[in-house]
Amino acid sequence: MALVILGRQCAGAGMENWALWAGRQALESRGWDPPVSVRPQSGYSPQAKPWILQHPVMFSAASQPLDPDGTVFRLRFTAMVWWVITFPVFGFFFCIIWSLVFHFEYTVATDCGVPNYLPSVSSAIGGEVPQRYVWRFCIGLHSAPRFLVAFAYWNHYLSCACSCPGYRPLCRLIFSLNVIENLALLVLTYVSSSEDFTIHENAFIVFIASSLSYMLLTCILWRLTKKHKVSQEERKSYCWKQRLFIINFIAFFSALAVYFRHNMYCEAGGM
């Protein structure tokens, strides 16, 4: 809890002198050395009162003053990203390992009667408990910061200077696709294929379509801003976006080909 100590709130010369001394200590800890003419010497200095009244001093419970811009809490964007992706990764491996150990027969079973070598993802994360609850809990924690990231990127794109006439409409489209992707992820997570296959299937289609479209348009948007001056960190981010889009594109269509082949020929050993 922060206490605001103002010189005008102190009663009596002794309290005002103490406030001036405390104000001087706090400001010097910030690297701000007050003028010599207004430093309190011995006893109460009337000259220092107008100076302290013009510079209110903030004290925190940890004896550390707040930042001049009023920032209370700082968090690096990369640290938040690593923190966010931890939840689905943990939930995925927990569900797969738990299914292999305790629900192997159910999670490798198929409609056509041939077994899989490993549990399918849909049956591992939504077929049995506690996997279903753990996965939903992890995705719930994962999704909330994703909406904050969508707004952060939206503000970042709008702050970039670009003379292209279609730049701002493209920013709105990308932001909309990002929000739709997150909403579809929540729907397909909380409505499993065993509960309502139609809703789960449609939500998955919307999720994949919006995800791939969002990544592709983001790369196009960064191509537009790349013509202008960008930092080295932004160029590195653009390169990673390109790589992740290519990996995601190849992985999705590979999984789609395996899925249709398994449904057509009903071969054993799928996932």
Side-chain angles (χ1 to χ4, degrees):
M1 185 178 74
L3 299 176
V4 181
I5 300 184
L6 299 173
R8 63 169 67 97
Q9 292 177 342
C10 299
M15 289 296 293
E16 290 183 358
N17 193 34
W18 178 86
L20 293 175
W21 176 85
R24 176 192 172 190
Q25 296 298 319
L27 292 173
E28 286 181 350
S29 67
R30 300 183 190 179
W32 186 4
D33 192 20
V36 177
S37 60
V38 298
R39 290 181 182 176
Q41 303 296 331
S42 59
Y44 171 64
S45 175
Q47 297 177 349
K49 186 174 181 179
W51 172 76
I52 194 66
L53 291 180
Q54 296 174 7
H55 301 86
V57 182
M58 299 293 294
F59 294 92
S60 65
S63 300
Q64 294 291 336
L66 297 177
D67 290 341
D69 59 355
T71 302
V72 180
F73 180 73
R74 294 181 184 273
L75 178 65
R76 288 182 60 86
F77 184 77
T78 52
M80 187 188 71
V81 169
W82 283 110
W83 176 68
V84 169
I85 65 176
T86 300
F87 295 114
V89 172
F90 167 78
F92 175 77
F93 282 105
F94 173 85
C95 293
I96 294 295
I97 294 174
W98 194 278
S99 299
L100 288 172
V101 176
F102 297 102
H103 303 130
F104 182 78
E105 295 295 334
Y106 172 80
T107 54
V108 298
T110 60
D111 294 334
C112 56
V114 294
N116 292 329
Y117 294 147
L118 292 174
S120 64
V121 176
S122 59
S123 61
I125 65 177
E128 292 291 328
V129 294
Q131 300 96 299
R132 181 190 309 169
Y133 301 139
V134 171
W135 178 251
R136 291 177 179 178
F137 177 75
C138 291
I139 293 300
L141 293 177
H142 169 76
S143 298
R146 283 174 62 113
F147 287 101
L148 297 179
V149 172
F151 280 100
Y153 267 114
W154 160 257
N155 292 326
H156 173 70
Y157 292 147
L158 292 181
S159 65
C160 296
C162 184
S163 59
C164 180
Y167 178 78
R168 286 187 174 269
L170 184 59
C171 291
R172 299 190 192 98
L173 179 59
I174 289 176
F175 173 74
S176 301
L177 289 173
N178 199 353
V179 173
I180 292 173
E181 175 192 354
N182 295 335
L183 293 175
L185 175 62
L186 289 174
V187 173
L188 70 90
T189 298
Y190 287 91
V191 180
S192 63
S193 58
S194 59
E195 294 171 342
D196 195 314
F197 181 78
T198 303
I199 295 179
H200 182 84
E201 181 183 31
N202 292 331
F204 179 77
I205 294 173
V206 173
F207 170 74
I208 291 297
S210 59
S211 176
L212 293 176
S213 301
Y214 165 75
M215 297 182 74
L216 176 61
L217 293 178
T218 299
C219 293
I220 295 175
L221 186 72
W222 278 80
R223 290 279 297 182
L224 296 177
T225 58
K226 192 178 179 183
K227 299 177 182 179
H228 305 274
K229 184 178 180 180
V230 294
S231 64
Q232 186 65 27
E233 186 177 8
E234 289 175 324
R235 292 185 182 275
K236 182 179 179 181
S237 176
Y238 171 69
C239 293
W240 273 108
K241 284 177 171 60
Q242 287 182 313
R243 297 168 190 162
L244 292 176
F245 169 71
I246 295 173
I247 293 173
N248 195 26
F249 185 85
I250 295 175
F252 168 70
F253 282 99
S254 299
L256 190 66
V258 173
Y259 173 79
F260 281 112
R261 179 181 177 85
H262 175 73
N263 288 344
M264 290 177 59
Y265 299 103
C266 200
E267 298 173 330
M271 281 186 64

